[in-house]
Amino acid sequence: YLNCPMTRAEYEAFVDALLQGEKTSFKEWEATTPYFDGCLPIEVMAERGRETLRFGPMKPVGLDDPRTGRWPYAVVQLRQDNALATLWNMVGFQTKLKHAEQVRIFRMIPGLEGAEFARLGGLHRNTYINSPRVLDRALRLKAMPRLRFAGQITGVEGYVESAAIGLLAGRFAAAERLGRPLASPPATTALGALLDHITGGHVLAEEDPSAGRRGSFQPMNINYGLLPPLDDAPTQDAGGKRLKGKERGTARKRLMSRRALADLDPWLEGWRNTEDGSAAGASPRAASS
């Protein structure tokens, strides 16, 4: 990454420009499509509060400015996009700003005053089904069980997560085709937590009397918040020292990871056992029937 640090004055001027910049008009079908909160256009984030970008894609935490030894007020990160290091991507900068406005406003970023823009920003539509309502635990369409869904369309976010749901769909399909039982992966594992999220673990789109609003199903990356809490959260390290703040969080995540790996082994072993049992007790013709 390359980091473009901003002072408070530079950040405030940048936010003002985003708020005042001319945006592309929505088409009719776009106007009724809700934003995914995990991937908002930068001008929409700016509209939600002047500090929102500083706690989102422009968060400076942990990035020391070598000139001052301190964190900048805000930062724009550039991610290398080709082997020659001639193409860089502005991280987290989806936008509906018109192209000419993007060039004008983005050149306000320190270091990008003379930048050449190979491709300007836009929005992508993320289409996914309401999986908690329409899919069962084996990723089959309830109304037509011969169909399975996999990948991003099920309501997961990210390449690894999409591949993981594809792996599960393939295993479920293979087990059913071969007449072998296959339980869902444990909820304590990343695979199980994602499956729970997209097949019912999330709040369904029903009226929530306590909140006075409707719930919604939104795509999700894997994160520790999807995993069940530990029965005994760590409070001390191996030497008996009391854990605080970040140390306690790191220790908790480490234990959750160990629990996940321990719980995954029996699930994998169950699949291996069904493979071995079928291979030993059935002919190839019977196994494929």
Side-chain angles (χ1 to χ4, degrees):
Y1 293 88
L2 293 180
N3 300 312
C4 302
M6 285 186 175
T7 64
R8 180 168 186 168
E10 289 168 336
Y11 174 78
E12 293 288 350
F14 184 69
V15 170
D16 286 339
L18 289 176
L19 295 174
Q20 296 164 14
E22 192 175 358
K23 284 84 174 175
T24 302
S25 299
F26 280 111
K27 296 181 175 65
E28 183 179 352
W29 61 266
E30 291 176 313
T32 57
T33 301
Y35 285 122
F36 171 42
D37 285 339
C39 200
L40 292 170
I42 52 170
E43 63 273 10
V44 173
M45 282 189 272
E47 290 169 359
R48 294 189 176 186
R50 297 190 68 85
E51 297 292 287
T52 303
L53 286 168
R54 291 187 61 237
F55 289 88
M58 297 177 68
K59 182 167 64 176
V61 174
L63 300 174
D64 295 331
D65 187 334
R67 297 169 297 184
T68 63
R70 303 183 63 182
W71 297 346
Y73 192 76
V75 67
V76 173
Q77 288 198 298
L78 307 179
R79 181 178 58 234
Q80 186 173 333
D81 256 13
N82 68 345
L84 297 175
T86 57
L87 193 65
W88 297 77
N89 181 282
M90 299 170 66
V91 178
F93 267 59
Q94 281 206 117
T95 179
K96 284 288 285 186
L97 288 167
K98 289 191 172 182
H99 284 181
E101 288 289 79
Q102 291 183 45
V103 172
R104 178 182 68 83
I105 294 171
F106 294 163
R107 281 183 175 157
M108 295 173 64
I109 298 170
L112 300 188
E113 295 88 350
E116 295 181 15
F117 294 96
R119 181 172 58 85
L120 292 163
L123 293 180
H124 69 272
R125 181 185 174 100
N126 187 354
T127 300
Y128 58 98
I129 59 178
N130 193 350
S131 293
R133 285 199 171 282
V134 302
L135 296 186
D136 66 14
R137 293 283 296 169
L139 299 171
R140 293 174 299 198
L141 192 64
K142 293 176 183 177
M144 194 179 294
R146 68 184 181 83
L147 293 181
R148 275 186 170 83
F149 283 78
Q152 189 178 47
I153 199 170
T154 63
V156 292
E157 184 74 7
Y159 296 117
V160 173
E161 291 87 341
S162 297
I165 298 304
L167 171 67
L168 286 179
R171 290 215 165 199
F172 289 145
E176 181 180 0
R177 183 76 176 94
L178 298 173
R180 302 171 184 170
L182 181 62
S184 299
T188 52
T189 66
L191 287 170
L194 284 173
L195 184 65
D196 283 350
H197 171 72
I198 64 176
T199 62
H202 191 84
V203 177
L204 293 175
E206 298 280 2
E207 283 292 336
D208 183 352
S210 63
R213 59 179 174 79
R214 293 181 66 83
S216 66
F217 173 64
Q218 296 235 351
M220 185 71 72
N221 291 95
I222 186 60
N223 63 82
Y224 285 99
L226 290 180
L227 301 174
L230 294 166
D231 292 333
D232 296 308
T235 57
Q236 297 179 334
D237 64 15
K241 179 183 176 182
R242 183 176 178 81
L243 296 171
K244 296 181 180 179
K246 187 175 181 180
E247 290 180 341
R248 185 171 183 176
T250 299
R252 178 179 60 84
K253 291 176 181 177
R254 186 177 294 117
L255 287 177
M256 294 175 86
S257 298
R258 289 174 182 169
R259 179 186 65 179
L261 291 172
D263 291 349
L264 188 63
D265 282 340
W267 182 74
L268 290 173
E269 192 60 34
W271 172 258
R272 294 190 191 103
N273 288 340
T274 59
E275 282 186 311
D276 294 342
S278 293
S283 67
R285 181 182 297 276
S288 63
S289 60

